[in-house]
């Protein structure tokens, strides 16, 4: 299973006390259906990039806001609303692929294309022996 997909926003719901974010449900084809929190400029019908839990995001200015989380996507709560994934607008580079008629579809696995890695917990053997 991949870690990053093209998704489509199928539902949005307000979050009490939140002016700039709302709860969003996305469908990612074979990547499943996910719920998250996103900015209000993401609306029903939008194609988006969806990054699943344990995705390590690539280095780049676009993901600098995730530096404090070591670029790792994990379950979070925003104003009490759960977010199981990171939902972002299509990047210019992804939108360029669509504009060049490269067949990206709902459920398209972006993991390799965007160089998204899987978080692996470091296991240290031999401690305590």
């Amino acid at each position: 299973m991949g870690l990053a997909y093209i998704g489509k926003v199928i539902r949005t719901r307000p979050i009490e006390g939140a002016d700039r974010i709302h709860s969003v449900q996305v469908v990612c084809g074979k990547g499943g259906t996910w719920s998250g929190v996103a900015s209000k400029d993401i609306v029903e019908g939008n194609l988006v990039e969806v990054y699943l839990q344990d995705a390590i995001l690539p280095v780049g200015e676009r993901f600098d806001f995730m530096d404090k989380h070591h670029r790792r996507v994990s379950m979070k709560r925003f104003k009490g609303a759960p977010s199981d994934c990171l939902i972002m607008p299509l990047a210019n580079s992804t939108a360029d692929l669509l504009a060049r008629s490269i067949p990206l579809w709902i459920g398209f696995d972006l993991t390799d294309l965007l160089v998204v890695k899987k978080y692996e917990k470091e296991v240290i053997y031999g401690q305590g022996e």
Side-chain angles (χ1 to χ4, degrees):
M1 183 166 154
L3 296 167
Y5 291 96
I6 297 283
K8 182 176 181 177
V9 177
I10 58 173
R11 183 176 12 175
T12 63
R13 286 175 288 169
I15 298 171
E16 188 174 331
D19 296 331
R20 295 181 288 189
I21 58 173
H22 56 177
S23 184
V24 176
Q25 187 174 27
V26 294
V27 62
C28 300
K30 68 179 188 244
T33 301
W34 298 89
S35 295
V37 172
S39 66
K40 286 194 175 178
D41 58 341
I42 293 177
V43 297
E44 287 183 25
N46 280 163
L47 290 181
V48 292
E49 293 176 11
V50 180
Y51 299 89
L52 305 183
Q53 290 183 37
D54 286 337
I56 302 292
L57 304 173
V59 173
E61 186 177 315
R62 184 164 184 249
F63 299 110
D64 283 352
F65 72 97
M66 290 291 290
D67 281 349
K68 64 185 169 214
H69 304 288
H70 307 285
R71 295 186 180 264
R72 178 181 172 204
V73 177
S74 61
M75 197 283 190
K76 302 259 188 278
R77 288 191 174 271
F78 299 90
K79 298 272 186 181
S83 187
D84 296 326
C85 59
L86 174 63
I87 301 169
M88 295 182 64
L90 291 180
N92 289 338
S93 57
T94 307
D96 287 346
L97 293 174
L98 286 168
R100 289 187 293 170
S101 299
I102 293 176
L104 303 182
W105 59 88
I106 295 168
F108 184 88
D109 188 341
L110 294 167
T111 305
D112 292 335
L113 184 68
L114 300 178
V115 193
V116 175
K117 302 292 183 194
K118 179 164 178 48
Y119 169 77
E120 300 286 342
K121 185 174 181 173
E122 184 177 353
V123 178
I124 301 173
Y125 295 98
Q127 285 191 339
E129 291 182 14

